[in-house]
């Protein structure tokens, strides 16, 4: 499938509908974005929309600099600041944030500060790409979203190795990124699958880190 | 989507079918209502109907005063007394009651009397609106439904702060309310998601209250 | 919906497909039947069929006397002996047997002999009809199916009160019955829902009985 | 349904789509194959494809000798070596490998070496065929897939009885085989159902074996 700029918005709506139908975007939760080709902005789902009923005008344009609105009839998701930080810190071209049950439950096991879980022992970790590091971080769920974005950027800048393309936010949800939206969806399925295995049988502990 | 009086009944049937397909309305369980514009009555699903096969004549009119039948070929749901109490005590314009598995399981953890669970720590609680209070009550499942309605009205009248738009009935199910039926469905997804997280990893306790 | 003899077979196929899609009839497991109007025989799914792909010739006629084949291109389900026993012992006009996950898991908690679980405390038990008794029995899973049917008939004949229209077979599955196939499907949803609540939060014990 | 060579590829795509929709092939995980009539090669899903979007050119031909590519626009799944070993060691004509959640979780309970779980007590084990042995093995998840295939062949050659048509790979997934692809899908549903019962209520232990 060609993911041309023209098709991006329709594809965002299609993926949103699929993920909503799985129960991974309850209420109006979750947001999806695709980076524009000039890398200065990204198309992202608007704030407060039911992802099972998304229409094309519910996708707006936000700035890579800070996630603020650039274009569109509605305000971008409040969590666009996190998408923007990922686009600035990584080579990602698509980002998905959802409240899927098992990844979110895994985030609830993190106590305080930034913690990591090692996913190396699961075959499904290969679905996240060729990993230099298998430590998935969980960040505090600050009420001010820009502070989560700041935590994320600080964490990335201090890492000796490239991190896996996934992060958790405590008692909140999971965010993944990739070269394409389809690949981001595939990676999301892998991290949710790993989290389900952890919840069912796992012994992996959240390890607290200092940055 | 315009939710005009004319479209209400079809919309009730559509939402019922979606919730049935998720397994949240097993057997003939659950009921859905929309307040009429004059606020004296509400359209509500009839008693004993399979929610996966609802037709428009299965939606009847009941009184806001006590939930008794006003109009329609069939008797309204026995739990219309609870819908009526919610319409009298809050500004709700739509109510959904289901037996979704996790919210119902959470209600089973309540021992006796009226208890509350605090949902503040979950991001999904934001999906219930801007909350003054994050304490979700669980009520005893009296065989006489009107007594549940009485408990509810008594509880609401004694609260210092506006409660979240959701309540549990012990070993029975969950009820949510909102300004529109779509919003009630979204809120239901959030409370079910929170309950699933509680069941998977939670430490929130039911706290018994006296009123 | 009229459930005339002419429509019975198509309706059996439709319900089988719905239950297969929920994962309640894994492999070729489960069987569904409807009693004929003269009460001497019943239409039942043939042995070894994939319930997601059932066609009308996969429904055959078996005797109420013993479940043996009366008519049809294929052998009736080996568990037709159990359907037959239910038609002889109760006023049922439709029977469904499935391997739904939670009811089957509940059956695995039964140790030996015939045991019962009391479902009275769950609101969903009302979905099984106006119950004289709320004790759901679990029977041993004898390799010779006719012995399960004999256990069932013996159990029914010794009861002081009419039993709920549902039974479990240990490490095997659940069987429900009703006046119509639709009602049997609704009751099945209720017993599966109760079993899920039991698995998630329950404290009900299997109680061993002697007959 | 006739499973002629001509129809094989379309049928592989159809089954892949069904299993993807159930969440059993997260990301691009899992692979499906059908043996060709001359038994020297098999049609198998290509490496790295999203199983929810499979098209006919995503099915390629691999050698029964070692799983290497024989024909097709894309590389066969890296796990074709395991399919090949199964075709060499058994009379299987179709193989399915997935990462279904409960069977994979069951594999995570295996500690080291090759272990077995006895599934005899579950009625669903009958869905795997007339079993001489009811011991399902779990193999180590070696990074070099051919070593898994070697383990499998060594294990099969040392058995006094024909094994059940299913195996687990530790922290990885489950593989089943059968005379037809439809039968393999049915058997997969049974092993996943057994694993779910084990996770919910089971007491079966992995027993370590020496070969």
């Amino acid at each position: 499938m060609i993911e041309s700029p023209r098709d991006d918005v329709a594809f965002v709506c299609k993926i949103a509908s699929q993920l909503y139908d799985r129960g991974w975007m309850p209420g109006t939760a979750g947001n999806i974005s695709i980076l524009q080709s000039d890398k200065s902005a990204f198309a992202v789902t608007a704030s407060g929309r039911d992802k099972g009923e998304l229409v094309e005008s519910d996708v707006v344009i936000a700035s890579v600099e800070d996630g603020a609105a650039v274009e569109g009839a509605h305000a971008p998701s409040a969590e666009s600041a996190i998408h923007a930080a990922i686009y600035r810190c990584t080579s990602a071209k698509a980002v998905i944030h959802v409240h899927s049950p098992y990844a979110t439950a895994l985030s609830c096991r993190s106590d305080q500060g930034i913690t990591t879980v090692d996913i190396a022992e699961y075959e499904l970790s290969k679905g996240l790409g060729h990993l230099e590091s298998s430590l998935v971080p969980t960040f505090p769920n600050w009420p001010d979203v820009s502070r989560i974005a700041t935590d994320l950027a600080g964490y990335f800048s201090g890492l000796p190795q490239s991190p896996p393309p996934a992060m958790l936010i405590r008692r909140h949800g999971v965010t993944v990124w990739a070269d394409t939206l389809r690949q981001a969806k595939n990676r999301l399925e892998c991290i949710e699958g790993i989290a389900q295995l952890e919840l069912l049988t796992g012994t992996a502990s959240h390890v607290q880190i200092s940055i």
Side-chain angles (χ1 to χ4, degrees), chain A residues 57-141:
Chain A
S57 62
D58 293 329
V59 179
V60 299
I61 306 300
S63 165
V64 161
E65 202 177 325
D66 57 5
V70 170
E71 190 185 313
H74 309 290
S77 162
E79 283 149 347
S80 292
I82 299 174
H83 292 240
I86 291 169
Y87 288 126
R88 291 194 307 272
C89 297
T90 74
S91 61
K93 295 200 180 74
V95 175
I96 302 178
H97 167 68
V98 297
H99 295 202
S100 54
Y102 293 102
T104 307
L106 186 58
S107 83
C108 294
R109 288 192 178 166
S110 170
D111 273 349
Q112 57 172 327
I114 301 174
T115 62
T116 59
V117 168
D118 192 341
I119 61 169
E121 281 198 89
Y122 292 104
E123 174 72 13
L124 271 176
S125 66
K126 294 180 187 165
L128 295 174
H130 298 283
L131 301 181
E132 288 183 24
S133 161
S134 56
L135 300 177
V136 174
T138 301
F139 294 95
N141 186 31

Side-chain angles (χ1 to χ4, degrees), chain A residues 1 9-19 54 182:
Chain A
M1 172 166 184
V9 170
F11 195 44
V12 165
C13 294
K14 181 186 163 189
I15 296 290
S17 175
Q18 288 179 0
L19 298 179
L54 219 61
R182 183 180 306 283

Side-chain angles (χ1 to χ4, degrees), chain A residues 101-107 109 117 122 124 191-204:
Chain A
Y102 293 102
T104 307
L106 186 58
S107 83
R109 288 192 178 166
V117 168
Y122 292 104
L124 271 176
I191 197 80
E192 180 68 2
I194 289 169
Q196 184 173 11
L197 292 172
E198 266 298 306
L199 267 286
L200 286 171
T201 68
T203 54

Side-chain angles (χ1 to χ4, degrees), chain A residues 153-168:
Chain A
Y155 174 78
F156 279 0
S157 69
L159 289 179
Q161 291 173 306
S162 178
M167 58 173 274
L168 306 178

